Amino acid sequence: MVDAQSAPGQRIECRAMVPPDLAGRRCDQIAAILFAEYSRSRLKSWIVAGELTVNGESCLPRARLQAGDELRLDALQQAEGEWQAQAMDLSVVYQDQSLLVVDKPAGLVVHPAAGHHDGTLLNALLHRCPELAQLPRAGIVHRLDKDTTGLMVVARQLTSHTHLVAQLQARTVKRQYLALVNGVLRSGGTVQAPLGRHPVQRKQMAVVGHGGKEAITHYRVVERFAAHTLLQLDLETGRTHQIRVHMAHLGHPLLGDPVYGGRLQLPPACSEELREALRGFRRQALHAWRLGLVHPQTAETIRWQTALPADMLAVLHLLRHASAAAGSGRGQDD
């Protein structure tokens, strides 16, 4: 039996008795089973710090426990970084005590890093929810590139953070994107190509033959134009720049991608308005439009959807107009 009390950003208090079937196992292993709502690494740090005790005494993570031993956790959540809260406009599409979902705009960096010490999504989240300072990366469990728009989930409690990270690792979080790519694809498919650092351009990612991490992207055609295609993409894995690199690997890079985009493609008999719109689109045309996951507290499957941003809608409008004027039919996968 486990008793637990916690207040977000304050003190965590839990206790549990070692059942007979776990007798003889290591302290850190038993803690991971009895306090499964917290990550293994965090539990180990609490054991080492003496905040997770056995029968009122500190112990080593590798200590063997017996049936009836009492594990007691009494820990104060500590701030995870020296980040500053900043008042910024933030589009929140959902919020409760466990998590929140934001619709990130283009141009917003998710986490402070070299060259972006403030003005990030993390800084804005801390202003809206100060308790996030107690969580790893202020509750951010996954990222979008600076110029990719759309939905992101953020944990508001330590237990929710552990739960969401586990879902991401188990690949049960459903993330769907819309992307406008160069060239015309006739059908959908799957790209299964490992990704790693580019051998020369170390700030870039690339499909690599050896030593890369597994990366799987499913795509289907939503709409075809004379020289472009609107795709829906489903991620099984979440590698850095995965969609951008996989589409470029297929020979259909994202419109506007400044890193992997290659040469601009213009449709035949392109109007000056469309030409300027395509040339002026200076970010990857990628939008995280659907997100689905199991709620950490209710176990209910929840889904969200957000509309395409104005810049992508404007280009799509011009592409549709050009296709209609040229008499070229648009198509969609079955």
Side-chain angles (χ1 to χ4, degrees), residues 39-175:
S39 69
R40 288 176 178 267
S41 61
R42 185 166 293 274
L43 287 167
K44 184 176 180 179
S45 71
W46 283 333
I47 295 172
V48 172
E51 295 175 306
L52 199 165
T53 59
V54 178
N55 300 325
E57 302 288 340
S58 298
C59 73
L60 296 174
R62 64 175 181 272
R64 303 287 175 173
L65 305 187
Q66 301 303 315
D69 284 343
E70 183 186 56
L71 275 69
R72 184 181 291 272
L73 172 62
D74 185 356
L76 183 65
Q77 293 191 47
Q78 301 294 328
E80 292 283 336
E82 297 181 356
W83 308 303
Q84 299 298 315
Q86 289 180 280
M88 299 167 56
D89 289 336
L90 196 61
S91 176
V92 175
V93 300
Y94 178 85
Q95 180 174 335
D96 62 22
Q97 292 183 343
S98 297
L99 55 83
L100 58 85
V101 177
V102 300
D103 188 356
K104 190 187 85 67
L108 181 62
V109 174
V110 169
H111 193 278
H116 298 283
H117 299 291
D118 55 15
T120 71
L121 174 63
L122 183 147
N123 301 113
L125 289 169
L126 290 177
H127 182 267
R128 184 180 182 93
C129 305
E131 73 274 12
L132 295 180
Q134 314 298 326
L135 301 184
R137 297 188 181 276
I140 295 171
V141 295
H142 67 118
R143 299 190 187 191
L144 295 175
D145 293 337
K146 173 185 175 183
D147 287 324
T148 297
T149 58
L151 298 174
M152 289 181 57
V153 62
V154 178
R156 294 191 64 193
Q157 297 173 338
L158 189 55
T159 52
S160 300
H161 184 276
T162 302
H163 198 287
L164 292 172
V165 169
Q167 288 189 59
L168 286 163
Q169 292 174 341
R171 303 180 184 179
T172 56
V173 175
K174 302 302 181 184
R175 291 171 290 170

Side-chain angles (χ1 to χ4, degrees), residues 31 36 49 51 64 74 77 100 110 168 175 178 180 193 210 230-231 241 243 247 271 275 296 298 317:
E51 295 175 306
R64 303 287 175 173
D74 185 356
Q77 293 191 47
L100 58 85
V110 169
L168 286 163
R175 291 171 290 170
L178 291 174
L180 185 59
H210 300 285
L230 180 65
L231 298 177
H241 299 177
I243 290 175
M247 290 301 101
S271 69
R275 185 190 308 272
T298 67
H317 173 76

Side-chain angles (χ1 to χ4, degrees), residues 312-333:
M312 286 185 67
L313 284 172
V315 171
L316 286 170
H317 173 76
L318 292 173
L319 288 172
R320 289 171 182 141
H321 180 76
S323 294
S328 59
R330 300 192 301 270
Q332 178 176 326
D333 269 1

